[in-house]
Amino acid sequence: MAEAAKVELELEGMTCASCASRIERKLNALDGVAASVNLATEHASVEFDPAETSEGDLLGAVEAAGYSARLPAVGEADAVDDRPEPGAAELELRRPRTRLVVAAALSAPVLLLSMVPPLQFDYWQWLSLLLATPVVFWCGRGFHEVAWRNLRHGTASMDTLISLGTLVAWAWSVYALFLGGAGVPGMRMEFTLLPEQGAGTSEIYLEIAAVVTTFILAGRYFEARAKRRAGSALEALLELGAKDVAVLADDGTETRVPVEKLRVGDRFVVRPGEKIATDGVVEVGRSAVDASVLTGESVPVEVGPGDEVSGATVNAGGRLVVRAARVGSETALAQIARLVTEAQSGKAEVQRLADRVSAVFVPIVIALSVATLGFWLGAGAGTAYAVTAAVAVLIVACPCALGLATPTALLVGTGRGAQLGLLIKGPEILESTRRVDTIVLDKTGTVTTGAMSVAAVHPASGLGEDEVLRAVGGLEDASEHPIARAIAEHARERVGALAAPEGFASSEGLGVEGIVAGSHVVAGRPAMLADRGLGIPDPLTAVVEEAQRAGRTAVLAGWDGEARAVIVVADTLKPTSAGAVAGLRDLGLRPILLTGDNRATAEAVAAEVGIDEVIAEVLPAGKADVVARLQAEGRTVAMVGDGVNDAPALARADLGLAIGTGTDVAIEASDLTLVSGDLRAAGDAIRLSRRTLATIKGNLFWAFAYNVAALPLAMSGYLNPIVAAAAMALSSIFVVSNSLRLRGFRPRR
């Protein structure tokens, strides 16, 4: 699909994994469509070719499957303020809660009358029928409506099994009451797990019809509550944005308007304690900004004129005037929310088997139920016994837990990650984190701060520092490299305005050259000066060697046939890097420092943070080759970087982790984004991903184990339908509750 379009469909009517599988098959059967349906979020992520399939076709396919769908409102998919109305969640749960309360109140006396013979008075069976009927038909109405809709479309779902099971139990009881003599005065019954083999038609099972409905309603209600909690992290993230903003006019007056009316270029005021309305650049004022909502880091960051700030962060200090740079769907908060949403809509590889099972599960269960009925009737066990066993088979089977195993864990895991500034781009990333055994760390901006500064200027004999800085500063001012920027800024502070170079040229990873004040100036590595025929005096060579031994970067500069100066540039280690490396080792990873700097500088930095293996003097284009070479040695490689030149290596690695303070290109090429820029977050991201994967696998194991154990018990006649209903409801609740444990994940600090 050359020009593929993407859309998120909001689905209604899904109740189990079979529903999700059916909708997904219908959508993917359309020409040029690739769709993934998420049971937990009740959304379908669809990529399609508009030339072959329209949005109307997508909606029609969902309706043809027996469900309903709607497109997001215009702009809704990208809106940061896409929040539910206050109390919407409570209203959504109110109806199922009401039905559950009514069902429980009416089912309790039916169950007691069936279980306790002393409570059974004359004609008690008719009272049970009176109480059980509204439970089955009003409280359980949703099951029957979905089952009927599925039947009209020639399909079946979990609701089909529930509807069929409860209606069979109710219909059998009505038959026994009217035609089997079960409603005669003085008849007593005693509750047993199953009726005796050979029992006649006088047995009634109204308690099964009523209590099964109640248990399943309870399971659905608590499951819905738990699923809502599972997605609460993303909802909370969207709630973080400011609601209004004080826009500053040219005449200095302030007007408070809703944040949706803010436009790029507008200036707005942020007072102490207020949220910054949108991404922008500080124009006036200095303050400390609490960015923990985005980065997970609790220490405020000092900002001043020229510094960038992000929407939803909190001004913890003085008054700021900010000019809006990005609004709406372009803000950092919106992009984080979009990444999390996309990650939650995907499917891990381990879910594929569950999907295949769910797709055929319901028809198989119906066939097993019919086979159970036929077997026990043929074995002479009695109609009541056979019907009860068949109903138990219908009720106990539960593909719901299979369908919820992956999406609920992803909902909680990715949501918790977003709260901590750890963005997992998709479920397939989880498998990569499990296999990784080697982690390659870029030096500048990852292990170090990347904030270069000039530590010393060593001119050759007969030259002054100012003369050197005018020549080299003017040349470096044309480059975007961090070292060049540091030299240019230092030169500007010392000598003022810098002359623009003519014929500027950059040799990637080596240095720069150009004409400054009539001289051809070359600045960079010794190899570049030698290549240009510039001799290097011994005193300057000694300065270079000394700087390298100290872990600093030495830039040689020369003109008129000879090297004229050495400018020593220093980068500082991030204070958390050593602890981060130790944490990566604890995860069983082998750290490697990768840099374009000279080996002496690289080894000095590596020694400080506890890294044994160093790959130095690698040109930017060669970083991806280094990753490929390590992979060829049989290693599974993770790469951590922050710059444009790291993007190919991030994309080539089995797992790419981008420092969020880096470039958009690096973040786009990565699998995990560490918003805070703290290297310790790399270990946290891998731990969270591995724990999420383990939770998914645990969920799937218990979901499969439940069905493997429960179905044979039901078919053999050892499982009462009431117990089966309770077990079925609990299996789904267990899966969702197990996923919710990920909310307790804590970073190691």
Side-chain angles (χ1 to χ4, degrees):
M1 295 182 289
E3 295 294 333
K6 292 183 179 180
V7 68
E8 286 279 327
L9 299 180
E10 297 181 10
L11 305 175
E12 292 182 4
M14 290 196 304
T15 57
C16 68
S18 297
C19 303
S21 297
R22 188 173 304 114
I23 295 173
E24 195 170 282
R25 288 199 308 274
K26 283 285 188 180
L27 288 171
N28 286 322
L30 298 174
D31 292 335
V33 173
S36 177
V37 176
N38 190 309
L39 175 62
T41 61
E42 297 181 339
H43 278 68
S45 297
V46 186
E47 187 172 341
F48 65 102
D49 185 351
E52 298 186 58
T53 302
S54 68
E55 292 179 341
D57 295 331
L58 301 177
L59 297 177
V62 176
E63 291 172 2
Y67 306 89
S68 57
R70 79 173 184 91
L71 295 165
V74 177
E76 179 181 325
D78 292 328
V80 183
D81 201 32
D82 184 18
R83 298 185 284 265
E85 293 295 323
E90 180 62 27
L91 288 173
E92 189 175 330
L93 291 174
R94 184 176 297 170
R95 181 176 296 176
R97 183 170 60 235
T98 300
R99 292 184 186 271
L100 172 59
V101 170
V102 172
L106 296 179
S107 297
V110 176
L111 183 61
L112 288 172
L113 286 171
S114 302
M115 289 178 63
V116 186
L119 297 178
Q120 296 173 357
F121 51 87
D122 289 346
Y123 301 110
W124 66 270
Q125 302 93 332
W126 299 99
L127 176 61
S128 294
L129 178 63
L130 183 66
L131 296 173
T133 299
V135 174
V136 173
F137 289 96
W138 184 76
C139 299
R141 177 182 174 182
F143 306 139
H144 310 311
E145 287 180 342
V146 175
W148 174 245
R149 188 164 63 244
N150 287 334
L151 181 62
R152 285 166 47 207
H153 289 86
T155 60
S157 69
M158 190 63 217
D159 289 86
T160 305
L161 303 181
I162 297 167
S163 177
L164 190 57
T166 54
L167 289 178
V168 166
W170 181 87
W172 174 262
S173 300
V174 170
Y175 171 78
L177 281 169
F178 282 95
L179 301 175
V184 298
M187 179 181 175
R188 295 288 185 268
M189 290 179 58
E190 187 172 351
F191 180 84
T192 57
L193 287 179
L194 281 175
E196 295 295 328
Q197 294 192 19
T201 58
S202 62
E203 299 285 355
I204 64 170
Y205 296 107
L206 291 169
E207 79 280 4
I208 289 176
V211 176
V212 163
T213 300
T214 302
F215 276 164
I216 295 173
L217 285 172
R220 292 273 175 94
Y221 173 70
F222 289 115
E223 177 188 308
R225 281 186 58 187
K227 282 162 60 178
R228 187 164 297 284
R229 288 178 63 201
S232 62
L234 182 56
E235 291 180 10
L237 187 67
L238 294 174
E239 287 285 351
L240 293 174
K243 306 299 187 296
D244 52 34
V245 57
V247 176
L248 188 65
D250 292 338
D251 61 2
T253 59
E254 296 181 25
T255 305
R256 191 158 287 275
V257 300
V259 72
E260 294 82 7
K261 294 187 176 181
L262 196 62
R263 297 291 178 263
V264 173
D266 287 349
R267 297 167 74 234
F268 60 93
V269 177
V270 189
R271 291 180 171 79
E274 288 186 336
K275 291 179 180 178
I276 296 174
T278 194
D279 297 0
V281 178
V282 176
E283 290 196 343
V284 178
R286 292 188 175 275
S287 180
V289 172
D290 179 359
S292 59
V293 294
L294 299 182
T295 67
E297 295 295 326
S298 58
V299 179
V301 179
E302 296 292 331
V303 298
D307 290 333
E308 294 185 358
V309 290
S310 298
T313 56
V314 178
N315 179 13
R319 178 180 181 272
L320 296 175
V321 176
V322 180
R323 186 174 295 277
R326 290 181 294 272
V327 297
S329 62
E330 300 303 316
T331 64
L333 179 65
Q335 291 173 17
I336 288 173
R338 190 178 304 117
L339 281 173
V340 175
T341 302
E342 289 174 358
Q344 292 176 346
S345 66
K347 289 188 178 181
E349 189 60 34
V350 292
Q351 180 69 15
R352 303 297 177 185
L353 175 61
D355 287 347
R356 289 194 291 271
V357 171
S358 299
V360 297
F361 194 82
V362 173
I364 289 175
V365 170
I366 293 175
L368 290 175
S369 178
V370 173
T372 300
L373 177 67
F375 173 81
W376 287 117
L377 287 175
T383 307
Y385 189 92
V387 168
T388 305
V391 170
V393 172
L394 290 173
I395 298 301
V396 79
C398 181
C400 303
L402 290 174
L404 293 169
T406 294
T408 52
L410 276 176
L411 273 175
V412 184
T414 54
R416 180 59 180 151
Q419 290 177 324
L420 299 173
L422 314 172
L423 304 184
I424 305 169
K425 283 197 175 178
E428 63 281 354
I429 306 307
L430 305 178
E431 287 283 359
S432 299
T433 62
R434 180 180 62 84
R435 296 192 301 265
V436 165
D437 54 34
T438 301
I439 186 161
V440 177
L441 307 175
D442 174 56
K443 182 180 77 71
T444 305
T446 302
V447 176
T448 64
T449 63
M452 298 287 189
S453 60
V454 174
V457 179
H458 298 274
S461 178
L463 289 176
E465 283 189 27
D466 289 356
E467 184 180 351
V468 170
L469 289 173
R470 284 191 185 93
V472 182
L475 177 65
E476 297 284 21
D477 196 34
S479 173
E480 290 298 321
H481 194 280
I483 292 177
R485 303 310 307 158
I487 294 174
E489 288 173 13
H490 181 76
R492 192 175 289 107
E493 290 174 1
R494 281 288 303 266
V495 301
L498 300 173
E502 299 176 9
F504 175 83
S506 174
S507 298
E508 191 175 32
L510 293 174
V512 293
E513 58 187 315
I515 307 299
V516 181
S519 297
H520 182 247
V521 181
V522 180
R525 293 185 177 186
M528 184 169 181
L529 272 73
D531 185 64
R532 300 301 186 272
L534 301 179
I536 305 174
D538 290 341
L540 294 184
T541 300
V543 171
V544 170
E545 292 173 350
E546 182 182 352
Q548 291 176 348
R549 282 194 297 271
R552 296 179 172 183
T553 300
V555 177
L556 271 166
W559 56 89
D560 296 340
E562 190 174 35
R564 301 287 179 174
V566 174
I567 301 176
V568 179
V569 179
D571 188 8
T572 55
L573 279 177
K574 291 181 179 178
T576 58
S577 291
V581 170
L584 294 171
R585 288 189 184 277
D586 290 341
L587 290 170
L589 303 177
R590 177 180 175 183
I592 298 175
L593 187 67
L594 177 65
T595 180
D597 280 354
N598 64 79
R599 175 160 292 277
T601 299
E603 288 180 345
V605 171
E608 286 191 65
V609 297
I611 297 177
D612 302 323
E613 190 171 349
V614 176
I615 302 176
E617 300 178 14
V618 177
L619 296 178
K623 290 186 177 182
D625 296 333
V626 170
V627 172
R629 188 178 76 243
L630 293 170
Q631 290 170 327
E633 294 173 2
R635 304 192 201 183
T636 303
V637 181
M639 170 75 191
V640 187
D642 74 320
V644 172
N645 57 15
D646 296 323
L650 289 169
R652 183 70 180 82
D654 299 284
L655 179 69
L657 296 93
I659 298 292
T661 51
T663 65
D664 291 341
V665 176
I667 293 171
E668 186 64 29
S670 69
D671 303 311
L672 291 168
T673 300
L674 317 176
V675 180
S676 69
D678 187 338
L679 186 57
R680 291 178 298 180
D684 293 332
I686 292 173
R687 284 197 304 116
L688 176 59
S689 298
R690 287 180 176 179
R691 187 174 296 181
T692 303
L693 179 64
T695 301
I696 290 172
K697 291 186 173 181
N699 285 347
L700 287 170
F701 170 79
W702 287 111
F704 275 114
Y706 161 81
N707 283 290
V708 168
L711 273 173
L713 281 174
M715 293 175 67
S716 60
Y718 288 109
L719 199 60
N720 184 279
I722 293 176
V723 178
M728 191 205 75
L730 288 172
S731 68
S732 294
I733 294 173
F734 169 81
V735 163
V736 179
S737 300
N738 188 46
S739 299
L740 286 172
R741 295 191 304 122
L742 289 167
R743 298 174 74 187
F745 178 86
R746 294 287 182 271
R748 289 180 179 172
R749 293 289 187 267

